[in-house]
Amino acid sequence: MIALRPWRSTDADALVAARTSTDDLGTQFGPLADSGAAARFIETVLVTAPDRQHWAIVVDGVAVGNVGLTAIERRHDTAWVSYWLARSGRGRGLATRAVATVAERAFGDGLFRLELGHRVNNPASCRVATGAGFRAEGVERRKLRYGDERFDVETHARLATDPSPEVEPLPVDGSA
């Protein structure tokens, strides 16, 4: 079964496995030395931060990815969307379905504009964004720095008034 659900401290081992098996996830959340560090990361970043909402992308009970809303701003009804998948979850459209599902929930909760960005050298992330109904808006030159290297970022946005993509939403399990 595939679903979205809140992160749990019991997902710590899955988070460590995702990080150690997927080299490019280091830019998402840095090193995780062990399941204790992962459990603290889950609690402080993925569960309790007040201006964030994160969901684990779960396959057969194992967390293989994340989709989140951060920088939620109610004056202008905007938020930033982020997502990642472990290598084991890639290539099945899970990120696209997760992003589209969370976008619909966000619009139903009163948000109007959702934004996201990806490095221009990451075409898979671009496919997720466009597949989930986000339109490209422009390139921010050398916006991100990882180590000594800087990367251009393509920004995308989706408005509540934009058409919904033809993507099968993921079921959402609200139990923590």
Side-chain angles (χ1 to χ4, degrees), residues 36-164:
R40 286 187 294 280
F41 180 84
I42 290 168
E43 183 59 31
T44 59
V45 175
L46 300 178
V47 174
T48 60
D51 66 339
R52 302 173 181 187
Q53 299 173 7
H54 288 275
W55 294 268
I57 303 169
V58 179
V59 177
D60 297 329
V62 177
V64 299
N66 178 74
V67 60
L69 295 175
T70 58
I72 298 169
E73 203 283 321
R74 292 294 179 173
R75 179 168 187 267
H76 299 290
D77 295 324
T78 62
W80 185 261
V81 177
S82 61
Y83 48 91
W84 59 262
L85 278 174
R87 192 165 317 286
S88 64
R90 294 180 180 181
R92 297 185 271 172
L94 297 179
T96 301
R97 293 175 65 195
V99 170
T101 301
V102 167
E104 292 299 328
R105 290 175 61 91
F107 295 143
D109 189 36
L111 292 178
F112 180 77
R113 178 182 170 86
L114 302 177
E115 301 172 353
L116 61 82
H118 63 83
R119 293 184 321 269
V120 295
N121 67 341
N122 187 345
S125 191
C126 187
R127 286 189 299 274
V128 169
T130 57
F134 286 72
R135 296 182 189 171
E137 292 192 329
V139 173
E140 297 174 272
R141 298 176 307 137
R142 301 181 60 150
K143 180 177 183 175
L144 299 178
R145 179 175 52 92
Y146 298 116
D148 293 331
E149 193 171 0
R150 296 205 70 90
F151 296 89
D152 291 351
V153 173
E154 184 172 55
T155 303
H156 294 245
R158 183 168 163 204
L159 308 179
T161 53
D162 288 342
S164 295

Side-chain angles (χ1 to χ4, degrees), residues 15-35:
L15 184 57
V16 170
R19 172 63 185 94
T20 57
S21 69
T22 314
D23 294 340
D24 61 352
L25 290 186
T27 61
Q28 296 294 324
F29 41 79
L32 295 172
D34 55 33
S35 60

